[in-house]
Amino acid sequence: MSLIEDQLYQPKILVIDDERRIREGCAKILRKEKCVVDMAENGNAGLEMIAHNHYDVVLTDLMMPGIGGMEVVSRVRETNTDTVVIVITGFATLEHSIQAMKNGAFDFIPKPFTPDQLRVIVGKALRMTRTLQDIATEKSRLKTIVNYLTAGILVTDRNKRIILYNPALLRMLGYEGEALNDHPLSDLTTDEKITNIINGILELNEGEFKILSAEIEPRNRNANKPLNQLFLRAQAVPFQSGAGEILGSVTIIDDITHLKLMDQMKSDFVSMVSHEIRSPLTTVLSQIKILLDGLAGELGAKQAEILGRMSMKINGLVELSNELLDLSRIEAGLIVQDRKELQLMDVLAELIDFFQPRAKEKNITLALKKTPLPVISADRKNMEEVFSNLITNALIYTPDGGKIIVSGEVRGDFVVIHVKDNGYGIAADEIPRIFERFYRSKTEKTRNIVGTGLGLPIVKSIVEAHNGTVAVTSEEGVGSTFSVRLPVKQ
Ligand code: ADP
């Protein structure tokens, strides 16, 4: 029988006993098992050896002159947490052995014992010490990983006390105070978004798993002003016991400043270009108008027709640059400036009147189902833009003789507006893409329709800036319903 399966592992064992016969007997048996065995003849000598060497297992007699086995047990527990101690006892000292176990001994072996009894008990102790060492290695490995990760890591228990964090986290949150272990989360940060996602995780039910994330701009704790252009993304998840009980939260924080800045540069560029394009184009348009109006001399029918087409194309370009400008303004967060109490039914009624002539041109029935709705808090111009985009799309993507119904309803704390048409519809695989910038679906029927692919992204950005959502259900050849959900003003 081998004490331990790993053939390369040479356990180190110390035997402390004032009886030479026992010391040497133990050493002989254990050396046969490929252990390296040292011996000490009393507690003092034993502790001295422990201080200078690492032992996997210490076998110690309890009753010795000078420092006894009980003290050896206590000292080893304090200083060498991955060493296990077995006490060797006489029959009469069972009570002492129990006391030694209470002090932290792993087991005891009563004298006299057979070589087999010794092998069994040391084998058990070695398995224990290997497990303890594996845990210690794992802990040290984890500590190194966590400390050198460039992402910030924050672990809390279920009472929101901090149990683990790393230097990257402190740097990102601008924390320069004292050590935080066992401190409440609020000592590190009072950022509402971080606190909210951690609360959300800790409130999960047993066995439930969720990832909650938030974008944050950390504030300087003292001056309460944003740290120099720092954008972070925090993602929190729960950690659970084997039985699924939520024991705490793990939050990982990434620095996304470079992504944000690049995105911003791109938006600035788009808005600069579209602005620069728009002014000369409007000048060209007004000059064409002068020609068309005959202010620069009589025009032939052919010339007028060509100029008319030019003007239409240029109008398309002006519209594109307007939408690009809108989008970059929305993305820069500039638009929701004028929030007021708003009755959406009033806005919709005006829009329906406005679009009625265009509907008539295509012989489309355009109707509003009036329902009393609670007010929302929104920017009126933005809401007009959202619903004119949706109604315009419905008019464009519905063939002559179709039907468009706009209606509203209350669902919980939300007002939901539906714009429903019985037009061309959208293929199932394209539905997830139509809110992407510049995405346009082209089918046999819609191939000749011109557009920019920016209408729906604008709708989505505005609705989301008002804490709402927009969704679509659609079937090809049957029609589409766009539904905008906005929170009722509390
Ligand atoms: P545009 O209308 O300028 O192409 P949008 O962003 O408004 O850009 O719409 C994107 C795409 O979504 C359109 O190209 C069209 O394929 C589809 N779409 C939008 N509204 C409807 C609708 N009511 N019915 C069918 N397809 C639609």
Side-chain angles (χ1 to χ4, degrees):
M1 182 192 78
S2 165
L3 281 186
I4 200 130
E5 283 120 35
D6 183 350
Q7 295 298 317
L8 297 174
Y9 174 53
Q10 260 205 321
K12 266 197 99 176
I13 296 180
L14 174 66
V15 184
I16 313 175
D17 201 308
D18 53 344
E19 264 185 79
R20 188 167 154 203
R21 190 176 50 86
I22 302 267
R23 270 197 321 264
E24 290 184 347
C26 288
K28 199 167 153 203
I29 298 164
L30 295 173
R31 279 179 185 140
K32 270 201 197 145
E33 300 295 333
K34 296 205 196 121
C35 297
V36 176
V37 185
D38 286 344
M39 291 178 285
E41 57 193 17
N42 57 48
N44 272 334
L47 286 177
E48 186 68 18
M49 293 175 79
I50 289 167
H52 294 102
N53 300 285
H54 175 268
Y55 293 102
D56 298 301
V57 175
V58 173
L59 279 154
T60 178
D61 188 15
L62 260 193
M63 300 299 180
M64 289 180 291
I67 289 183
M70 202 71 86
E71 191 166 344
V72 173
V73 171
S74 309
R75 295 271 284 273
V76 171
R77 277 279 58 76
E78 275 165 30
T79 52
N80 301 51
T81 43
D82 53 2
T83 301
V84 299
V85 186
I86 299 168
V87 292
I88 306 170
T89 63
F91 276 123
T93 53
L94 190 64
E95 242 172 69
H96 285 120
S97 343
I98 292 168
Q99 188 55 43
M101 300 273 293
K102 281 189 185 155
N103 285 2
F106 171 71
D107 208 344
F108 60 91
I109 180 162
K111 284 190 251 187
F113 46 81
T114 64
D116 261 352
Q117 282 170 329
L118 180 70
R119 275 193 289 263
V120 167
I121 208 159
V122 171
K124 223 165 66 172
L126 283 173
R127 279 189 290 280
M128 177 67 171
T129 180
R130 285 219 93 180
T131 309
L132 290 176
Q133 282 162 13
D134 283 350
I135 293 172
T137 314
E138 193 58 45
K139 260 178 124 174
S140 133
R141 187 159 47 201
L142 187 70
K143 204 170 162 191
T144 312
I145 294 173
V146 164
N147 278 343
Y148 288 93
L149 266 183
T150 49
I153 305 252
L154 171 66
V155 183
T156 74
D157 66 11
R158 67 176 129 197
N159 299 317
K160 268 194 286 173
R161 290 203 159 261
I162 296 171
I163 47 182
L164 185 89
Y165 57 94
N166 66 351
L169 179 93
L170 302 185
R171 194 181 61 244
M172 286 179 193
L173 297 182
Y175 180 85
E176 288 170 354
E178 58 188 64
L180 282 163
N181 276 326
D182 218 28
H183 279 240
L185 175 66
S186 52
D187 283 1
L188 167 68
T189 177
T190 49
D191 185 285
E192 236 178 62
K193 289 185 179 166
I194 298 189
T195 317
N196 282 348
I197 58 170
I198 292 181
N199 284 343
I201 288 300
L202 297 177
E203 282 160 12
L204 290 179
N205 294 322
E206 225 176 273
E208 211 181 333
F209 183 86
K210 235 189 208 170
I211 303 177
L212 294 182
S213 64
E215 270 187 28
I216 48 180
E217 277 178 67
R219 291 181 175 277
N220 188 314
R221 291 167 66 82
N222 302 323
N224 202 33
K225 63 180 180 206
L227 295 172
N228 234 351
Q229 285 208 307
L230 185 61
F231 298 94
L232 304 176
R233 187 190 49 207
Q235 283 194 305
V237 290
F239 66 92
Q240 302 166 339
S241 69
E245 190 189 359
I246 308 280
L247 297 179
S249 68
V250 177
T251 307
I252 305 201
I253 302 191
D254 287 306
D255 185 343
I256 52 164
T257 312
H258 58 294
L259 292 177
K260 279 277 179 190
L261 292 183
M262 262 169 59
D263 204 44
Q264 190 160 348
M265 265 167 61
K266 188 203 65 198
S267 298
D268 290 350
F269 176 73
V270 169
S271 105
M272 191 267 286
V273 170
S274 36
H275 195 263
E276 294 301 308
I277 287 177
R278 199 170 51 158
S279 335
L281 285 181
T282 39
T283 316
V284 173
L285 265 184
S286 57
Q287 287 178 350
I288 292 178
K289 191 164 181 317
I290 292 174
L291 292 177
L292 277 172
D293 289 349
L295 297 178
E298 230 10 64
L299 286 184
K302 192 74 193 163
Q303 288 165 324
E305 190 199 320
I306 293 172
L307 283 175
R309 256 187 295 175
M310 277 170 71
S311 156
M312 219 172 76
K313 291 279 177 202
I314 294 176
N315 251 323
L317 279 176
V318 172
E319 200 177 306
L320 170 66
S321 49
N322 279 340
E323 288 193 340
L324 282 171
L325 268 178
D326 267 356
L327 194 69
S328 44
R329 254 186 240 129
I330 289 164
E331 285 178 342
L334 295 176
I335 47 118
V336 200
Q337 282 167 344
D338 197 18
R339 265 179 202 251
K340 290 205 177 99
E341 278 193 5
L342 196 66
Q343 176 49 257
L344 272 181
M345 271 298 153
D346 297 344
V347 176
L348 293 171
E350 272 180 30
L351 285 175
I352 297 286
D353 284 348
F354 176 80
F355 282 108
Q356 220 48 267
R358 274 177 71 179
K360 288 231 165 66
E361 271 173 32
K362 284 184 84 179
N363 201 16
I364 287 176
T365 313
L366 172 62
L368 173 65
K369 269 197 197 161
K370 285 203 172 158
T371 333
L373 290 178
V375 292
I376 62 166
S377 161
D379 181 309
R380 187 180 181 105
K381 276 211 163 60
N382 289 167
M383 290 301 119
E384 286 171 357
E385 189 157 5
V386 165
F387 294 105
S388 16
N389 261 309
L390 294 180
I391 297 171
T392 310
N393 278 351
L395 285 166
I396 294 175
Y397 297 105
T398 301
D400 289 7
K403 195 170 172 184
I404 300 167
I405 307 284
V406 180
S407 62
E409 60 170 325
V410 186
R411 262 193 228 156
D413 290 337
F414 291 86
V415 167
V416 188
I417 306 292
H418 307 282
V419 179
K420 179 177 162 76
D421 65 54
N422 63 351
Y424 304 124
I426 307 159
D429 59 335
E430 293 195 288
I431 291 182
R433 302 207 53 193
I434 56 169
F435 290 96
E436 288 173 16
R437 279 179 269 183
F438 305 111
Y439 187 81
R440 306 201 61 230
S441 112
K442 287 207 174 129
T443 64
E444 199 54 37
K445 292 193 176 105
T446 59
R447 194 156 24 143
N448 294 323
I449 299 173
V450 285
T452 57
L454 286 172
L456 291 179
I458 289 176
V459 166
K460 185 166 181 264
S461 303
I462 294 179
V463 171
E464 286 177 355
H466 284 80
N467 300 322
T469 52
V470 51
V472 59
T473 54
S474 185
E475 200 180 320
E476 262 185 306
V478 178
S480 316
T481 304
F482 284 81
S483 304
V484 173
R485 211 169 78 116
L486 291 159
V488 168
K489 185 175 187 323
Q490 294 298 325

